[in-house]
Amino acid sequence: MEPHAGVIYDDVQKCVDEVIAYVGKDITLAMSLALGKPVRLCNEIYRRAKEDPSIHLKIVTAFPLEKPTGKSELERRVYKSLNPRLFEGVPDLDYMLDYRQGKLPKNVESYEFFSKAGTYLEDSTAQQNHLASHYTHIVRDGLNFGVNVFANPLAHLDKEDGRTIYSMGCNTDIIVEGLKEIEKRRQKGEKFAVVGEANANMPFMYGDAVVEAETYDIILRGPFFDYQLFGAPKDPVSVADYMIGINASILIKDGGTLQVGIGALGDAIVSGLVMRNDHNDLYQGLLEKTGIKKRYERLINEWGGTGVFEQGLYGSSEMFVDAFMQLYKNKILKRKVFDSVPIMKLINAGHLAEDHIPEDIIDRLLEIKGIRTPLSEEDFKFLTEFGILRSGLEFKDNMIYDGEVSYSADLSDEKAKAEIRKLLGQKLLKGTIIQGAFFVGPKSFYQALNDMSEEERQQFCMSGVEKVNQLYGDEELRALQRQDGRFINTGMFATLLGAIASDQLEDGRIVSGVGGQYNFVAMGHALPDARVVIILRSTKGSGRSLRSNIKFNYGHCTLPKHLKDIIVTEYGIADVRGKPDKQVIAEILNITDSRFQQELLAKAKKSGKIPVDYEIPEEYRHNTPEKLKAILAPYQAQGYFPPFPFGTDLTPDDIALAGSLKGLKALSKGYPMKLAQGMLTELFRPIPKGAQPYLKTMELDKPAGTKERLYRKMVVLALRNNGCLQKRDRTTGIISNQHPTPMQSEKN
């Protein structure tokens, strides 16, 4: 196998033969996270290792996408019906199937630097094999760990001249830097196999994602590799989530920059921004009704806003997720940036706009030394590349030619400078509205990208995390592009002193991984006009299992208290940057669920961290879920704040059944006696007609034996408790509100 051969194979077995012949039988395979798995190649390498114990295979990756299977028998029955519809044509990662069943052979090891939240809490092997590394360090750490096979999926585009160009598609995150570092190590004599797996369904993305075939040693391409991409159904957005989104929405400044993550909280924030932009009267009324506008007036005036997005937002986020697509569709994600310091300086100063090139642009560029006089060939290239001078011009012998007409490049001559104005373009070129490092989302998200024209898709720039997640390397340009940055990240727990735990429990068990959170927080503190916003739900569980996600102290932190900035829960905003400990505690208590406020306040007083006579102000002592539900209920009656604001691949019956089972699970943890009483009552009731379609889905309509009869009664109880046994509507299938998805049910 020759490095940089760019040879095209349609035979994955032949490809793996060459890889093993070149690097040997001690293989450390690196793949990017989420969609960044060349599934066919990975499965073939794994198959060889299963068949040949002399092969030692280590797999280094993050967040392998798996079809849900459920933890209980009832959940498994739901997914047995659901998965064929949601994941048709999506291949499994064979090593993960074996791993979950405890069948991974001894010569194969799996290592992850980021995992789906909570999936490995009771898995000692995964806990021991976790690679704790910042997203921006994982290339270095992975190569030092021994990676020698580097592989990723690709998109491809056949050009009219017969050439084929490739794109890293969904994952530039670690691939861009990884390829550079591998090349450096190859120069020292180290052996690496670099393989791409081209998939016709992968959206062709631009920016740093575009590569030539010779970037890879082997590219796999053919019908066998054109499988469907894994599309994850959306999680439902709860009342608490929506209130977090509304609270966070006032912190976003028009003309600014946004980073936001995947999941229900990301959708909630975008929903808040869409309401602010598209239904501003309603939005203003909600802010008045909740007291948000008055309570956070200073924050709004200094750092945020409540008006429509006239300039729009720019996205700078490692995760380019469906939330950003919704912002784009709603004409909020529209502020374009350009990879030019002079252009960004003029735009930020209000002297230049994407759709208007002023007559004095040449003077402005000369003033800030963006170009020189006389113009050099490099200056001319810059001016034409970004559309300041129109296309079709030529530069030779220090003159600019428009066909047969020539213009002097000596801009110290006022007459020559005035003449060049005839050559100005109509608008700036090469602007982008988001810079992302990877993408993953529902099937509709991939389809939306594939349906775009090439020109439209070029607005979505893909780059590596070494560029997206930090300022290092090109600080001046990135700071100009990311003006008024709002870096929104999710936490699991917050302490009263402002520390955040996002990745690990205090007993050392990894929940997910640090990912890029620290990098965005550090960047948010480095940029003078940026703010770091940590969002979290104030509580988890119900009944006896109810606990506060705000604690006095905690035995682990992802973000130490000296990096505190803004913390948002469903109950409000705590602006804690640069404030003394007693004030930080008071601010965070104000956004804590009232069922835990007094206990936490008592601990703070006992520790001497807040005055003994301090009391929580009256207006913050009524932070209850019931209050939030009452606030949003009138809006929900009008169709606002639905469980799935941007649609779902699930049917109403799917949603009802999964939500019911989730409610049953919560009942068993929080109110076990209520569950026992409910089951006892249900045993003496007949099976209602409205339950039959659900029971059929779960293959419990004709139970075989006592065990299945008991399961049937449990399902009926769950449906009854969730209000799903009312008269079924002919169109939607159910009358009651929609409920959480099976994905969310399993996660929790």
Side-chain angles (χ1 to χ4, degrees):
M1 185 179 75
E2 291 294 325
H4 305 305
V7 68
I8 308 298
Y9 284 171
D10 64 359
D11 187 340
V12 67
Q13 294 186 19
K14 183 178 179 182
C15 172
V16 174
D17 286 340
E18 294 209 20
V19 168
I20 294 174
Y22 185 67
V23 303
K25 291 189 173 184
D26 193 357
I27 300 170
T28 303
L29 169 65
M31 303 180 292
S32 193
L33 87 174
L35 281 183
K37 311 284 189 297
V39 180
R40 301 297 194 201
L41 175 70
C42 178
N43 285 350
E44 179 60 23
I45 293 176
Y46 175 60
R47 185 184 69 81
R48 299 295 184 89
K50 282 182 72 173
E51 294 178 354
D52 183 355
S54 68
I55 293 175
H56 184 202
L57 173 62
K58 293 179 181 177
I59 298 172
V60 180
T61 190
F63 197 4
L65 297 174
E66 304 172 81
K67 300 168 189 174
T69 55
K71 295 179 180 179
S72 68
E73 176 62 25
L74 292 180
E75 287 178 340
R76 283 190 282 271
R77 286 172 180 264
V78 171
Y79 291 124
K80 184 179 178 181
S81 166
L82 195 59
N83 285 357
R85 289 188 282 115
L86 293 184
F87 302 105
E88 183 180 1
V90 178
D92 292 299
L93 284 164
D94 291 341
Y95 85 93
M96 283 304 301
L97 292 180
D98 283 357
Y99 182 89
R100 293 298 183 189
Q101 296 176 36
K103 296 180 180 178
L104 208 64
K106 292 182 179 179
N107 60 319
V108 178
E109 300 169 89
S110 173
Y111 298 85
E112 294 182 15
F113 63 89
F114 191 92
S115 308
K116 183 181 177 183
T119 54
Y120 295 127
L121 279 176
E122 308 304 325
D123 186 330
S124 59
T125 300
Q127 291 293 329
Q128 293 166 25
N129 286 2
H130 176 74
L131 293 169
S133 181
H134 289 309
Y135 210 171
T136 49
H137 296 164
I138 195 60
V139 168
R140 176 200 68 190
D141 295 347
L143 290 173
N144 290 342
F145 188 67
V147 166
N148 58 4
V149 179
F150 201 71
N152 64 279
L154 294 169
H156 56 87
L157 185 63
D158 297 325
K159 306 293 283 185
E160 291 180 2
D161 60 5
R163 290 186 312 121
T164 299
I165 56 172
Y166 292 88
S167 166
M168 298 171 193
C170 63
N171 281 93
T172 46
D173 54 344
I174 62 171
I175 307 302
V176 174
E177 184 185 7
L179 291 172
K180 292 176 183 176
E181 291 302 315
I182 282 172
E183 188 57 30
K184 291 178 186 176
R185 296 190 180 217
R186 276 179 163 172
Q187 298 300 321
K188 298 177 182 178
E190 297 182 37
K191 284 187 175 183
F192 294 90
V194 181
V195 183
E197 185 175 286
N199 185 332
N201 293 305
M202 177 67 68
F204 191 101
M205 305 304 292
Y206 291 88
D208 295 331
V210 179
V211 290
E212 298 291 337
E214 291 72 25
T215 307
Y216 293 82
D217 306 325
I218 297 173
I219 291 178
L220 293 164
R221 181 176 173 182
F224 182 59
F225 307 100
D226 295 338
Y227 46 83
Q228 292 299 312
L229 303 179
F230 189 106
K234 285 179 168 290
D235 290 337
V237 182
S238 68
V239 166
D241 297 339
Y242 271 122
M243 287 307 303
I244 290 173
I246 292 295
N247 288 328
S249 71
I250 68 169
L251 301 171
I252 314 302
K253 184 172 284 190
D254 186 22
T257 303
L258 181 66
Q259 179 234 339
V260 71
I262 196 170
L265 287 175
D267 284 351
I269 290 166
V270 171
S271 294
L273 295 176
V274 170
M275 173 174 268
R276 170 178 158 182
N277 192 66
D278 295 359
H279 308 281
N280 195 258
D281 289 345
L282 201 72
Y283 176 77
Q284 296 291 344
L286 179 57
L287 296 185
E288 294 283 355
K289 181 179 179 180
T290 55
I292 291 172
K293 198 166 187 177
K294 182 179 179 181
R295 189 178 294 169
Y296 305 113
E297 183 178 9
R298 183 194 62 80
L299 266 177
I300 293 170
N301 292 337
E302 187 174 350
W303 294 100
T306 63
V308 298
F309 291 95
E310 294 179 357
Q311 299 175 63
L313 300 177
Y314 169 66
S316 179
S317 181
E318 66 181 25
M319 288 189 281
F320 169 29
V321 291
D322 187 54
F324 282 107
M325 184 63 73
Q326 303 304 326
L327 287 174
Y328 174 67
K329 289 178 179 178
N330 284 277
K331 296 180 173 54
I332 297 172
L333 187 72
K334 62 182 178 182
R335 181 174 77 85
K336 288 189 177 180
V337 306
F338 300 82
D339 283 338
S340 163
V341 168
I343 288 177
M344 290 309 305
K345 281 183 175 179
L346 293 178
I347 288 176
N348 289 1
H351 299 316
L352 180 62
E354 186 237 346
D355 58 354
H356 175 64
I357 297 175
E359 285 192 355
D360 66 349
I361 183 64
I362 299 298
D363 299 276
R364 297 282 188 184
L365 287 169
L366 286 169
E367 285 174 13
I368 64 172
K369 296 181 172 56
I371 55 176
R372 295 158 290 180
T373 182
L375 289 176
S376 67
E377 189 166 356
E378 182 182 349
D379 292 324
F380 174 77
K381 184 179 178 182
F382 157 70
L383 291 170
T384 53
E385 179 183 3
F386 289 101
I388 295 171
L389 293 182
R390 57 181 168 79
S391 62
L393 304 174
E394 289 184 293
F395 185 87
K396 58 184 177 181
D397 301 326
N398 295 319
M399 299 290 287
I400 300 173
Y401 286 87
D402 181 13
E404 298 297 322
V405 183
S406 62
Y407 297 82
S408 171
D410 183 4
L411 302 182
S412 62
D413 183 336
E414 289 298 323
K415 184 179 178 182
K417 190 162 50 174
E419 284 292 303
I420 281 183
R421 289 175 180 169
K422 298 175 183 178
L423 306 178
L424 295 180
Q426 297 296 311
K427 66 175 186 176
L428 293 176
L429 305 176
K430 301 187 71 173
T432 58
I433 56 175
I434 186 172
Q435 185 179 59
F438 75 91
F439 63 74
V440 65
K443 290 184 287 185
S444 59
F445 174 62
Y446 311 140
Q447 190 62 50
L449 286 172
N450 277 323
D451 288 344
M452 288 179 182
S453 66
E454 188 174 348
E455 180 182 10
E456 186 179 14
R457 207 180 313 123
Q458 286 175 348
Q459 299 176 101
F460 301 86
C461 173
M462 300 297 291
S463 301
V465 290
E466 75 283 357
K467 182 184 291 187
V468 178
N469 290 29
Q470 58 192 8
L471 297 175
Y472 312 129
D474 205 348
E475 290 90 338
E476 185 177 17
L477 176 62
R478 294 173 195 172
L480 287 166
Q481 292 175 332
R482 299 168 190 177
Q483 70 173 7
D484 292 314
R486 299 295 178 265
F487 302 109
I488 302 179
N489 289 268
T490 305
M492 297 187 304
F493 309 121
T495 72
L496 280 187
L497 291 171
I500 303 293
S502 305
D503 66 320
Q504 178 183 302
L505 302 181
E506 61 183 345
D507 63 7
R509 287 181 296 164
I510 283 292
V511 176
S512 54
V514 68
Q517 185 170 98
Y518 167 76
N519 295 114
F520 279 103
V521 170
M523 180 164 53
H525 282 282
L527 292 169
D529 55 1
R531 298 302 301 262
V532 175
V533 181
I534 299 296
I535 56 175
L536 74 157
R537 301 176 179 100
S538 68
T539 64
K540 184 175 176 65
S542 61
R544 292 182 181 179
S545 66
L546 180 72
R547 60 171 171 74
S548 177
N549 287 333
I550 295 173
K551 303 175 181 298
F552 177 68
N553 58 354
Y554 195 66
H556 166 75
C557 75
T558 313
L559 304 173
K561 72 171 188 175
H562 61 262
L563 290 177
K564 64 187 178 295
D565 195 346
I566 291 176
I567 300 172
V568 176
T569 73
E570 63 268 39
Y571 297 116
I573 303 168
D575 181 6
V576 295
R577 189 172 76 180
K579 293 180 178 176
D581 285 356
K582 65 179 180 180
Q583 194 171 347
V584 171
I585 292 171
E587 293 266 1
I588 295 177
L589 281 171
N590 289 346
I591 63 169
T592 299
D593 189 290
S594 291
R595 290 168 288 184
F596 299 95
Q597 284 175 326
Q598 292 305 318
E599 176 188 349
L600 289 168
L601 177 59
K603 288 183 179 180
K605 288 180 177 180
K606 185 177 180 181
S607 69
K609 295 299 290 185
I610 199 167
V612 293
D613 61 348
Y614 177 79
E615 295 299 333
I616 299 168
E618 174 64 25
E619 67 174 305
Y620 299 106
R621 294 184 196 175
H622 308 283
N623 294 344
T624 65
E626 292 73 24
K627 181 180 177 181
L628 300 183
K629 288 176 184 176
I631 289 171
L632 289 194
Y635 299 92
Q636 290 179 319
Q638 298 175 57
Y640 296 99
F641 305 116
F644 295 94
F646 305 118
T648 175
D649 293 327
L650 303 174
T651 68
D653 279 4
D654 295 333
I655 296 164
L657 184 55
S660 299
L661 293 179
K662 183 187 177 185
L664 189 72
K665 189 174 182 179
L667 193 67
S668 68
K669 288 184 177 180
Y671 304 96
M673 286 305 297
K674 285 186 179 180
L675 175 64
Q677 291 169 359
M679 278 298 295
L680 186 62
T681 303
E682 204 63 57
L683 289 174
F684 296 97
R685 284 177 167 173
I687 301 296
K689 241 182 189 180
Q692 289 302 327
Y694 304 108
L695 295 173
K696 189 173 183 180
T697 294
M698 299 186 70
E699 298 181 353
L700 290 173
D701 53 322
K702 298 176 181 177
T706 304
K707 192 174 184 180
E708 287 197 353
R709 288 190 180 90
L710 186 61
Y711 283 146
R712 183 172 65 169
K713 291 292 185 179
M714 290 174 72
V715 172
V716 172
L717 175 63
L719 292 166
R720 194 185 303 279
N721 285 347
N722 214 24
C724 295
L725 296 183
Q726 303 172 35
K727 183 179 178 183
R728 296 169 59 85
D729 182 88
R730 293 180 181 177
T731 305
T732 63
I734 53 174
I735 284 179
S736 58
N737 291 332
Q738 292 179 318
H739 300 283
T741 69
M743 287 288 192
Q744 182 75 0
S745 177
E746 182 176 81
K747 185 171 78 173
N748 290 346

